[in-house]
Amino acid sequence: MSKRNIGEIMRIDIAVPIWGATLFLAVVLCALYAVPIPYRPFVNHVVAVLGGIAGLTSAWYVAIAMHRRHAHTRKEATFQLLGRLLCAEYLDVIDFIREEVVDAKNDLSPAQLAEKIHSIPARLRSVVHTLEALEMVSLAVQHDYVDEDIVHQHIGYITQFLFDTLDPYLTIVRAKTENQAIYCEGGKLYQAWRNGRSLSGGAAFADSGG
């Protein structure tokens, strides 16, 4: 089912501009005050009701504008974050895993994987940068700063690919530093997405089949 616009109610789009509604209400109020004095209490009641309607209408339009602005801001933040993530270091890590682990069909032990990562300083920097970047992505998702659906569509598969390969290395890093919290936020993102579920809300992704 496609998402409906906020300005759509019962499939009828609200297209009345605020200035038009305000002008119409002003004309109606002027006309009401032209009625004979005996009917003034009723008129005052009608005016109060119309004033309340006007206030609610104004609040409704403000809510629409705020919602659209928030949605636009979240999308901007999403693509800015993705742009910072998809840098040379990130691509270097993907190439390293594909060439020396997957394509080479190397069944590396955790210690061997750690040795390959640490043997080249630039590679180690790329791995650290990528893991830290995924920490930031995870925190941004958890705090509703970005649109998780867009992030998942763009890097969902590759995030699982990276953590599937690097998880044994992370086990070694955590053991050596005696800190089980290292890169735990990225791990939360990985676990949620591996199960086909949103980290921020827990709901199944549309394309997860679950």
Side-chain angles (χ1 to χ4, degrees):
M1 181 177 177
S2 62
K3 293 182 179 178
R4 297 173 58 191
N5 294 329
I6 282 189
E8 186 181 351
I9 300 177
M10 299 293 290
R11 304 198 64 81
I12 299 176
D13 291 332
I14 298 175
V16 179
I18 293 179
W19 67 265
T22 303
L23 179 61
F24 173 77
L25 184 59
V27 171
V28 170
L29 291 177
C30 290
L32 287 173
Y33 272 102
V35 301
I37 293 177
Y39 297 99
R40 286 291 170 84
F42 172 73
V43 170
N44 290 336
H45 175 73
V46 173
V47 168
V49 171
L50 291 176
I53 292 174
L56 290 174
T57 302
S58 177
W60 173 255
Y61 274 98
V62 169
I64 291 174
M66 291 180 64
H67 175 84
R68 289 176 176 169
R69 186 160 53 247
H70 175 67
H72 180 72
T73 301
R74 284 180 76 236
K75 283 184 171 61
E76 278 190 341
T78 300
F79 287 105
Q80 287 175 1
L81 185 64
L82 288 173
R84 289 195 294 269
L85 172 64
L86 304 179
C87 60
E89 290 85 356
Y90 177 82
L91 299 176
D92 286 345
V93 174
I94 295 173
D95 289 341
F96 157 66
I97 292 174
R98 282 177 173 162
E99 293 171 6
E100 300 203 29
V101 180
V102 178
D103 292 345
K105 297 181 180 179
N106 287 329
D107 188 15
L108 301 175
S109 68
Q112 290 173 323
L113 178 60
E115 183 180 355
K116 275 188 170 290
I117 292 173
H118 286 262
S119 63
I120 302 177
R123 179 181 294 163
L124 176 59
R125 286 195 298 271
S126 294
V127 169
V128 170
H129 171 87
T130 299
L131 291 171
E132 289 180 348
L134 290 173
E135 289 282 287
M136 293 299 297
V137 171
S138 177
L139 289 170
V141 165
Q142 292 179 61
H143 291 276
D144 198 33
Y145 181 70
V146 295
D147 188 316
E148 186 177 2
D149 285 334
I150 295 176
V151 177
H152 178 260
Q153 288 172 14
H154 200 65
I155 63 166
Y157 170 77
I158 206 68
T159 297
Q160 295 175 68
F161 172 73
L162 289 172
F163 270 91
D164 280 339
T165 306
L166 295 176
D167 194 55
Y169 167 69
L170 295 178
T171 300
I172 290 179
V173 172
R174 289 166 183 150
K176 284 186 175 181
T177 60
E178 298 182 349
N179 185 354
Q180 295 300 311
I182 290 180
Y183 304 123
C184 68
E185 299 303 332
K188 292 177 185 177
L189 190 71
Y190 163 64
Q191 292 293 338
W193 287 3
R194 187 177 67 172
N195 294 324
R197 302 217 165 250
S198 160
L199 175 62
S200 59
F205 289 111
D207 58 351
S208 68

